Amino acid sequence: MLCDNCKQKEANVHITKIVNHEKTSINLCEDCAREYQEQIGFAQPTFSFHKFLAGLLEQPTMMPGKPGISTEGTKCPKCGTTRQIFSQCGKLGCDQCFDTFAAGLSPLIKRVHGRERHTGKVPKRSGQDIMLKKRLENLKRKLQELVIKEEFEEAAKVRDQIRELERGNC
Amino acid sequence: MAKHELAKRASKWMEGTGPQSDIVLTSRIRLARNLKSIPFPHLLNDEGQKEVIDKVVQAVNTTTVTGTFGKMDMLLLEYLSPLEKQILVEKHLISPAFAEKKKGGVALNADETVSIMVNEEDHLRVQLLMPAFQLEETWKAADILDDALEQTVDYAFHEERGYLTACPTNLGTGLRASVMVHLPALVLTKQAKKILGSLPQLGLAVRGFYGEGSEAQGNLYQISNQITLGLTEEEIINNITLVVQQLIDQERSARNRLKEELYHQIDDKVNRAYGILANARIISSEEALKLLSDLRLGIDLGMIKDVDPQILNEMISFIQPGLLQGSQGKTMNAGERDLTRAKVIRTKLAQQRR
Ligand SMILES: [Zn+2]
Ligand SMILES: [Zn+2]
């Protein structure tokens, strides 16, 4: 097998890349592999990571199905961070920024992490509202299904559960 | 804590005992956390920064925290000298970028297994640093500390993005797990570059001893996860544990091969290193680190018997400029440091031989 890069020497280094559970392999000769490693294996001191990140956000943020949506010119109502500021320093300003710049951030997050949804730990107190919201959503969906199926007895039980949860919320 | 202790006391990780401590020096967990509704540190004025520090002080002083991790001291950057900051960096308790800051604080417990940087890039950077290969235990301790802190402070958390961080690269779990490995045999057999070069493809980053941009001095490498979002904490820990175990196995077999095929050359190399360290009058930190790595290999291969293996763990920090000056209680120029460094190492080795 010839090296994928120079296509001249024999490839004897095989690198398997896994992104989003998809495997792709790269086959390189020793020389190209060394160069490849030097490029990405170690952070270079002169390399500004935040600028690099911000550059990713500069890419067109048009998303399929949502033509024309751009976060250009948006300003976070809470901390005043603008898209221009983010482009310069690569940092978000506050928790609200994640909603303000949601559309632009999505592709960036996907590029960095390969995924968009958190699946790990949820803080017990700050996460309480979120867990409650999720449970309510689920129950409301269930209620609708039961009503459609005309299972009113079950539906009444679910409705009571929803009321109880909502009361606890206040 | 009296400040002068910083330079004298050794961190727990320098003890160097625990699982597979012949190859793994430290296991580290770092969690990035921010407080709800408060702008991130780079947007805070002095007052705002102080407010965050006060909240963290309150959180670390609860019995839930102190009962498990011991008493925590908050050191404020504005009251630390440049030397003291440097010592904290050399002990891996704060980041080099944080040391440059004027405001901010770091909470430390007595054995320095816990350090919480306040107002670095995020409001909190919670770090647990333990000796040897015990990433899972370290994560469990970090998880407990995180829960305990969360009883007092409200974290910024988003249903989809997880724990919110100033930089998108830390979103999700906010978890950075890293392991420091000593790989002299893989370097000697010229396999290190190839093997380590494949790690980015597995979502892992490789760095030198002092983090980003630093060279791999003394054959020491830090391996850490790059992706923080979309995986559970356990998955992240598991991935890196599996890969590091592979690295350890490779290093072990390379060591065995060296011992079988090149016994006399290696025996000569490590004993020369021993000879220089035990007798040199002037030594730079680069040379010392290189020779300490050789010495440690010799100890691990059974070629050098009268020196403690922990010498590497302890000395790699204590030969650094900041700790060297701090432990001697005076400032020194580079020339004086090279003299003192040689003396410190000579004395240490002489003590062990007795
Ligand atoms: Zn090639
Ligand atoms: Zn904002």
Side-chain angles (χ1 to χ4, degrees):
Chain A
M1 191 191 291
L2 283 179
C3 168
D4 290 344
N5 188 44
C6 64
K7 301 194 168 52
Q8 284 175 359
K9 279 172 267 181
E10 187 66 19
N12 39 22
V13 179
H14 309 282
I15 297 165
T16 311
K17 189 172 175 169
I18 303 172
V19 172
N20 280 334
H21 300 295
E22 269 178 51
K23 259 192 194 175
T24 48
S25 37
I26 309 168
N27 306 292
L28 299 170
C29 69
E30 295 233 16
D31 291 339
C32 291
R34 198 167 308 132
E35 221 162 88
Y36 182 76
Q37 182 269 318
E38 272 156 16
Q39 273 170 25
I40 57 174
F42 296 89
Q44 289 154 18
T46 51
F47 173 80
S48 164
F49 190 66
H50 285 118
K51 282 233 173 87
F52 173 75
L53 260 188
L56 286 177
L57 192 69
E58 284 301 292
Q59 308 278 328
T61 54
M62 316 274 213
M63 292 193 303
K66 288 187 193 171
I69 289 185
S70 162
T71 51
E72 199 69 60
T74 328
K75 186 174 172 181
C76 175
K78 193 158 149 195
C79 72
T81 295
T82 61
R83 200 184 139 161
Q84 281 76 14
I85 295 176
F86 177 74
S87 303
Q88 277 157 25
C89 77
K91 285 185 196 170
L92 279 310
C94 73
D95 40 13
Q96 185 70 44
C97 284
F98 289 86
D99 294 321
T100 311
F101 305 110
L105 273 172
S106 263
L108 167 78
I109 290 171
K110 201 150 188 202
R111 256 181 235 132
V112 171
H113 297 282
R115 293 152 213 226
E116 288 190 76
R117 268 194 97 86
H118 175 61
T119 53
K121 188 175 173 178
V122 175
K124 292 195 175 60
R125 273 173 351 103
S126 322
Q128 233 171 30
D129 300 350
I130 288 165
M131 288 197 272
L132 187 72
K133 205 177 106 198
K134 265 190 184 161
R135 268 177 66 198
L136 272 172
E137 272 170 20
N138 285 339
L139 284 173
K140 281 179 182 165
R141 204 176 307 123
K142 198 169 157 195
L143 178 65
Q144 249 176 355
E145 282 167 19
L146 290 169
V147 170
I148 290 168
K149 283 193 267 178
E150 301 190 357
E151 294 179 25
F152 297 115
E153 215 169 297
E154 268 302 299
K157 279 186 203 159
V158 173
R159 186 202 55 207
D160 290 345
Q161 280 178 349
I162 292 173
R163 278 191 188 152
E164 210 167 300
L165 271 182
E166 278 174 337
R167 209 172 306 133
N169 200 12
C170 309
Chain B
M1 174 180 56
K3 277 195 209 160
H4 63 265
E5 277 180 40
L6 260 188
K8 300 265 157 95
R9 70 180 184 186
S11 304
K12 168 93 180 161
W13 68 266
M14 296 174 197
E15 284 173 15
T17 46
Q20 316 204 64
S21 59
D22 55 333
I23 293 170
V24 181
L25 274 74
T26 60
S27 300
R28 163 154 59 162
I29 297 288
R30 192 221 62 198
L31 298 172
R33 298 287 186 254
N34 283 287
L35 304 181
K36 206 172 179 169
S37 303
I38 299 177
F40 298 153
H42 68 279
L43 294 181
L44 292 178
N45 57 18
D46 288 0
E47 206 175 308
Q49 297 224 17
K50 192 179 172 296
E51 199 185 317
V52 174
I53 292 178
D54 289 345
K55 280 185 198 269
V56 177
V57 168
Q58 217 187 339
V60 296
N61 279 330
T62 57
T63 48
T64 344
V65 173
T66 54
T68 311
F69 300 95
K71 192 178 163 302
M72 306 265 264
D73 284 308
M74 178 69 78
L75 311 183
L76 298 176
L77 290 188
E78 53 195 304
Y79 299 126
L80 293 177
S81 67
L83 180 64
E84 285 166 323
K85 291 185 202 173
Q86 195 182 348
I87 289 171
L88 289 169
V89 173
E90 289 170 356
K91 286 178 156 188
H92 294 269
L93 300 174
I94 65 172
S95 64
F98 191 59
E100 303 283 312
K101 287 195 145 194
K102 296 209 167 56
K103 296 279 171 174
V106 57
L108 291 178
N109 70 345
D111 64 3
E112 296 173 355
T113 48
V114 176
S115 67
I116 304 173
M117 281 188 278
V118 186
N119 294 330
E120 207 243 23
E121 187 178 272
D122 296 302
H123 293 143
L124 284 87
R125 287 284 177 91
V126 179
Q127 173 181 286
L128 273 100
L129 182 57
M130 311 267 269
F133 195 27
Q134 37 184 346
L135 209 49
E136 222 181 298
E137 290 76 3
T138 312
W139 154 245
K140 279 181 190 150
D143 193 22
I144 290 169
L145 177 57
D146 187 41
D147 286 347
L149 294 172
E150 211 244 329
Q151 290 188 6
T152 313
V153 296
D154 280 317
Y155 285 148
F157 185 83
H158 187 283
E159 189 175 350
E160 268 179 53
R161 310 303 190 202
Y163 290 93
L164 298 178
T165 55
C167 181
T169 50
N170 298 314
L171 282 173
T173 57
L175 168 72
R176 199 74 63 192
S178 68
V179 177
M180 184 155 57
V181 286
H182 182 224
L183 305 174
L186 286 180
V187 173
L188 272 172
T189 54
K190 304 212 182 327
Q191 301 175 81
K193 272 202 165 183
K194 197 152 96 184
I195 295 173
L196 294 170
S198 68
L199 296 191
Q201 304 309 306
L202 302 168
L204 300 178
V206 183
R207 298 195 175 86
F209 181 48
Y210 277 111
E212 227 160 303
S214 72
E215 274 178 62
Q217 288 180 12
N219 304 316
L220 293 166
Y221 297 88
Q222 284 185 66
I223 319 287
S224 59
N225 62 304
Q226 276 171 320
I227 291 167
T228 56
L229 181 136
L231 296 168
T232 65
E233 287 79 2
E234 286 74 18
E235 285 169 331
I236 292 172
I237 304 293
N238 230 348
N239 284 350
I240 183 165
T241 301
L242 287 173
V243 172
V244 169
Q245 189 56 55
Q246 278 284 333
L247 266 180
I248 295 173
D249 294 345
Q250 300 265 5
E251 168 68 18
R252 276 224 172 93
S253 73
R255 287 184 187 186
N256 287 336
R257 253 191 27 234
L258 282 179
K259 207 174 166 181
E260 277 165 23
E261 293 167 22
L262 294 164
Y263 187 92
H264 297 296
Q265 286 87 338
I266 301 298
D267 193 24
D268 177 66
K269 183 183 174 69
V270 300
N271 275 291
R272 276 171 187 269
Y274 189 11
I276 294 171
L277 288 169
N279 295 289
R281 263 45 184 177
I282 294 173
I283 198 163
S284 68
S285 55
E286 292 80 43
E287 189 187 5
L289 204 51
K290 187 178 152 289
L291 295 172
L292 283 165
S293 167
D294 291 347
L295 175 67
R296 174 67 195 256
L297 177 65
I299 300 167
D300 290 336
L301 292 179
M303 292 164 174
I304 292 167
K305 294 205 167 62
D306 51 1
V307 185
D308 236 17
Q310 282 98 295
I311 188 153
L312 179 67
N313 311 47
E314 207 177 308
M315 282 292 124
I316 46 175
S317 288
F318 276 95
I319 59 168
Q320 301 298 329
L323 271 164
L324 199 61
Q325 296 175 72
S327 61
Q328 303 296 310
K330 58 180 179 194
T331 53
M332 292 179 265
N333 63 32
E336 293 167 331
R337 290 204 298 270
D338 287 352
L339 276 168
T340 310
R341 182 178 297 112
K343 193 175 158 212
V344 166
I345 297 172
R346 271 200 329 268
T347 314
K348 186 89 193 166
L349 286 172
Q351 278 169 0
Q352 297 210 345
R353 250 176 322 212
R354 254 188 274 121

